[in-house]
Amino acid sequence: MMDYEVDRELLEKIADLVGKPVGAFNIRKDSGCDGRQSTEHIEITSKEDKPGIDIRIKDGTAGETCHIPVIITKPGVEEMVYNDFFIGENCDVNIVAGCGIHNCGDQTSRHDGVHTFYVGKNSHVHYTEKHYGDGDGKGGKIMNPQTVVYLEEGASIQMDTTQIRGIDSTKRYTKIVCGKGAEAVVTERLLTHGDQVAESDMEIVLDGEGSKGRVISRSVAQDNSSQVFYPRMVGNGPCFGHVQCDSIIMGQAKIKSIPAITANSTEAQLIHEAAIGKIAGDQLLKLETLGLTEEEAEDCILKGFLA
């Protein structure tokens, strides 16, 4: 196990880890495994044909957490990783992922990850993913996560994805296919600053009768950064879907939000809404009258918006 200050700081920011994780975990560092542990109900094994791991969770597993963070601490590390999750029936588990890059060099560091979930009947998964970058080098910090989820009858997933700051470029792709009575709730939070660029391409397919989907996207674009959102909800039968995108724009930033809904059944009920705007002056004034500086007031508002 690692015992370096940079490693500890990254792991705490992206996975709330302090010390050795409890339960099942796999820590990937600079394209290698830096620690792994399986449990009675959760087995983690390396893939034989390509970089990545398989996580198998037994039927009926409940109350357990699996940590699978990735950290890059060297410049010039570029990797493509494939992680597959096979979750049995009647489970209720937490999966904590995330990637942190610390780059103090001139070469680009990049992590591309493909996560595929197969969620069994009546199982619930809470999936948390945080991305963060730091370092005083000129090298880029790039992350391109792909997440594909297949929900069987009665299954559900709650996805909380966050880009904290420091990522120069990201292209996010998410697709969730919902079976009968399945439910997907995705909350995406994104902060860009400087000249950073971010794209988010998301599709929720409501295939099964009684399936539900909800997308909540909140973002802040500062300085000269740019963001593009393309969330889509597709209803193929009796279902309910809701897409909501809210963004705060600052400085010379640019934001494009393109929510879309597609109904392929008369029984599909789909809603979308999007809003982009600046911080309201009366909010700043109220906080400044309480003794905060303008910068402190802005920071307080942004933290509350992205919370």
Side-chain angles (χ1 to χ4, degrees):
M1 289 291 294
M2 79 286 291
D3 190 28
Y4 303 102
E5 183 177 354
V6 169
D7 301 354
R8 294 196 299 270
E9 290 178 354
L10 288 177
L11 288 172
E12 185 173 357
K13 283 185 178 294
I14 66 172
D16 298 319
L17 281 178
V18 178
K20 182 180 178 179
V22 175
F25 69 86
N26 185 90
I27 297 175
R28 184 179 180 89
K29 177 184 176 183
D30 298 329
S31 297
C33 179
D34 202 65
R36 176 181 298 171
Q37 177 173 283
S38 296
T39 65
E40 179 183 356
H41 302 110
I42 302 177
E43 181 185 30
I44 303 175
T45 57
S46 297
K47 287 187 174 298
E48 296 182 358
D49 58 339
K50 52 190 173 184
I53 54 177
D54 289 330
I55 300 94
R56 300 182 184 276
I57 301 178
K58 294 182 179 180
D59 292 350
T61 301
E64 295 197 33
T65 298
C66 179
H67 289 86
I68 55 162
V70 174
I71 59 174
I72 294 177
T73 63
K74 299 177 181 178
V77 175
E78 299 192 24
E79 60 181 8
M80 184 76 178
V81 180
Y82 301 84
N83 296 333
D84 290 344
F85 302 80
F86 303 91
I87 298 160
E89 298 182 359
N90 302 305
C91 295
D92 189 346
V93 294
N94 297 315
I95 297 173
V96 181
C99 181
I101 295 178
H102 178 80
N103 190 347
C104 289
D106 295 331
Q107 296 175 291
T108 294
S109 294
R110 172 173 173 166
H111 175 77
D112 293 354
V114 179
H115 288 182
T116 305
F117 291 79
Y118 303 90
V119 185
K121 291 183 179 180
N122 301 315
S123 286
H124 173 70
V125 176
H126 184 192
Y127 176 64
T128 305
E129 181 182 80
K130 295 180 181 179
H131 289 168
Y132 170 75
D134 67 13
D136 54 9
K138 297 181 181 179
K141 297 174 282 292
I142 300 174
M143 296 186 191
N144 298 315
Q146 297 184 41
T147 306
V148 181
V149 181
Y150 300 98
L151 298 175
E152 293 189 16
E153 181 177 347
S156 63
I157 188 167
Q158 178 183 341
M159 286 183 57
D160 296 322
T161 64
T162 305
Q163 181 168 303
I164 304 170
R165 66 168 47 246
I167 304 302
D168 297 310
S169 174
T170 184
K171 291 185 178 181
R172 312 173 63 89
Y173 174 78
T174 305
K175 181 176 182 178
I176 303 177
V177 181
C178 298
K180 181 179 180 181
E183 182 175 12
V185 179
V186 182
T187 302
E188 182 178 64
R189 300 176 179 90
L190 181 65
L191 171 67
T192 56
H193 55 93
D195 295 316
Q196 296 171 353
V197 295
E199 297 181 17
S200 179
D201 186 345
M202 187 182 303
E203 182 178 25
I204 312 296
V205 182
L206 303 175
D207 266 346
E209 179 181 354
S211 56
K212 298 178 181 178
R214 187 177 184 191
V215 174
I216 304 165
S217 175
R218 291 193 171 184
S219 73
V220 175
Q222 299 174 320
D223 307 321
N224 295 306
S225 65
S226 63
Q227 302 176 2
V228 178
F229 295 92
Y230 189 18
R232 305 181 300 285
M233 191 76 65
V234 180
N236 293 326
C239 61
F240 177 80
H242 183 205
V243 178
Q244 177 183 342
C245 301
D246 294 314
S247 300
I248 291 178
I249 188 168
M250 305 172 68
Q252 303 301 312
K254 297 179 181 180
I255 300 177
K256 181 183 293 185
S257 185
I258 317 167
I261 51 178
T262 301
N264 297 318
S265 168
T266 57
E267 299 299 318
Q269 301 180 55
L270 307 176
I271 303 168
H272 78 70
E273 51 189 317
I276 301 173
K278 63 180 182 179
I279 296 176
D282 58 344
Q283 290 180 305
L284 288 172
L285 181 60
K286 183 176 181 179
L287 290 174
E288 288 174 27
T289 59
L290 297 175
L292 274 66
T293 66
E294 182 177 353
E295 291 78 13
E296 291 171 337
E298 280 188 356
D299 186 59
C300 182
I301 292 170
L302 297 181
K303 285 181 178 179
F305 178 73
L306 292 173

